[in-house]
């Protein structure tokens, strides 16, 4: 079972690029972020023609996540538990049924910028960075629930987290950014330490591996990138992992997203 995560940065602008990549890479499941579309406007026919079942959790102009699957999907749920007042479309879950059933979570973790702190040094209540950390606390709680099922679980998406300095071409440029602050990295490690495996780093070590390049200042041409798109695997899912990769080359194509797909293959 090949599972990919891909922040497409707008389905309207990049549906053809997405279709082309799907035809080429042939993932069984693609977890999408930043579709920037309400559910009714998502061009599902384009993907159904390729044999994908389409499930979306959309939002007008912002955010939005989706699952495209060639395999049956069951028990689809939308929204991260823990805050009924949160209207941002950033989380979708489903069980994909292959040789084995795997619980999938597609996520678009908040960016968190601008970073604002109060006089005590705590994230400013109501600010974007406080929302990011609170969202991650809710994600940790959900991850604990999922681990308790003892099923294979994959939590994949745009985490907006640079886990370590080696995950940025210029780590010094990100010191004060919400993606690399110590509190952000600590919250990410807390989720990993529950028992999850970060798929890419389980197989590939060292610097120079990125999944995002800004559109400005020739970042792609200079390979000035960061690695913020991750797949976290529960122990049972990690035992099934065969391969992992980043489809870096599509960043150089016509009308690309600022992200590229990251994928794993499971024995499932």
């Amino acid at each position: 079972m090949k599972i990919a995560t891909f922040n497409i940065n707008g389905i309207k602008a990049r549906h053809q690029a997405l279709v082309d990549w799907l035809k080429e890479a042939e993932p069984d499941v693609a977890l999408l972020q930043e579709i920037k579309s309400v559910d009714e406007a998502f061009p599902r026919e384009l993907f159904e023609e390729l044999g994908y079942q389409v499930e979306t959790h959309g939002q007008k102009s912002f955010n939005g996540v989706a699952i495209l699957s060639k395999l049956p999907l069951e028990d689809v749920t939308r929204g991260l538990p823990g805050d009924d007042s949160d209207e941002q479309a950033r989380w979708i879950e489903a069980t994909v049924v292959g040789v084995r059933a795997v619980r999938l979570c597609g996520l678009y973790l908040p960016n968190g910028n601008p970073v604002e702190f109060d006089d005590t040094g705590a994230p400013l209540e109501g600010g974007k960075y406080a929302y990011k950390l609170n969202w991650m606390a809710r994600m940790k709680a959900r991850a604990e629930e999922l681990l308790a099922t003892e099923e294979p679980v994959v939590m994949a998406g745009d985490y907006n987290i640079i886990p370590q300095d080696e995950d940025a071409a210029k780590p010094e440029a990100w010191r004060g950014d919400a993606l690399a602050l110590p509190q952000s990295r600590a919250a990410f490690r807390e989720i990993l330490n529950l028992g999850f495996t970060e798929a890419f780093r389980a197989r590939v070590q060292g610097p120079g591996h990125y999944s995002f390049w800004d559109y400005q200042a020739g970042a792609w041409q200079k390979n000035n990138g960061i690695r913020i798109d991750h797949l976290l695997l529960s122990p049972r899912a990690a035992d099934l992992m065969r391969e992992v990769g980043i489809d870096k080359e599509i960043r150089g194509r016509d009308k690309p997203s600022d992200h590229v797909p990251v994928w794993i293959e499971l024995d499932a």
Side-chain angles (χ1 to χ4, degrees), residues 143-186:
E144 289 176 312
E145 293 174 349
L146 291 165
L147 283 177
T149 68
E150 297 189 354
E151 298 175 353
V153 176
V154 177
M155 299 192 303
D158 177 359
Y159 277 71
N160 271 315
I161 295 287
I162 303 170
Q164 303 176 81
D165 279 359
E166 68 179 0
D167 296 309
K170 297 181 177 181
E172 67 280 1
W174 298 90
R175 293 286 183 236
D177 194 280
L179 278 64
L181 283 175
Q183 297 95 320
S184 304
R185 289 177 167 179

Side-chain angles (χ1 to χ4, degrees), residues 30-168:
L31 302 167
L32 308 179
Q33 302 89 47
E34 279 202 280
I35 62 174
K36 298 180 181 179
S37 169
V38 295
D39 296 335
E40 297 78 13
F42 191 87
R44 57 190 313 115
E45 298 83 4
L46 292 174
F47 309 105
E48 290 171 345
E49 289 174 359
L50 299 178
Y52 288 97
Q53 178 179 338
V54 178
E55 299 290 345
T56 62
H57 180 36
Q59 181 177 344
K60 185 177 181 180
S61 302
F62 297 98
N63 304 325
V65 288
I67 302 176
L68 312 180
S69 179
K70 289 186 175 180
L71 298 169
L73 293 176
E74 299 177 351
D75 189 20
V76 180
T77 61
R78 295 164 173 83
L80 180 63
D83 183 357
D84 292 339
S85 68
D86 186 359
E87 297 180 351
Q88 296 195 30
R90 295 181 174 274
W91 183 275
I92 188 169
E93 283 189 36
T95 297
V96 58
V97 183
V99 177
R100 297 176 176 85
V102 178
R103 189 65 178 171
L104 299 177
C105 307
L107 63 103
Y108 177 43
L109 203 148
N111 178 285
N113 288 303
V115 177
E116 299 175 293
F117 295 100
D118 62 23
D119 294 340
T120 70
L124 187 66
E125 187 175 349
K128 291 186 176 181
Y129 192 54
Y131 175 66
K132 180 188 186 88
L133 295 180
N134 289 336
W135 202 95
M136 295 185 77
R138 289 162 54 200
M139 180 181 171
K140 179 185 175 184
R142 180 59 183 150
E144 289 176 312
E145 293 174 349
L146 291 165
L147 283 177
T149 68
E150 297 189 354
E151 298 175 353
V153 176
V154 177
M155 299 192 303
D158 177 359
Y159 277 71
N160 271 315
I161 295 287
I162 303 170
Q164 303 176 81
D165 279 359
E166 68 179 0
D167 296 309

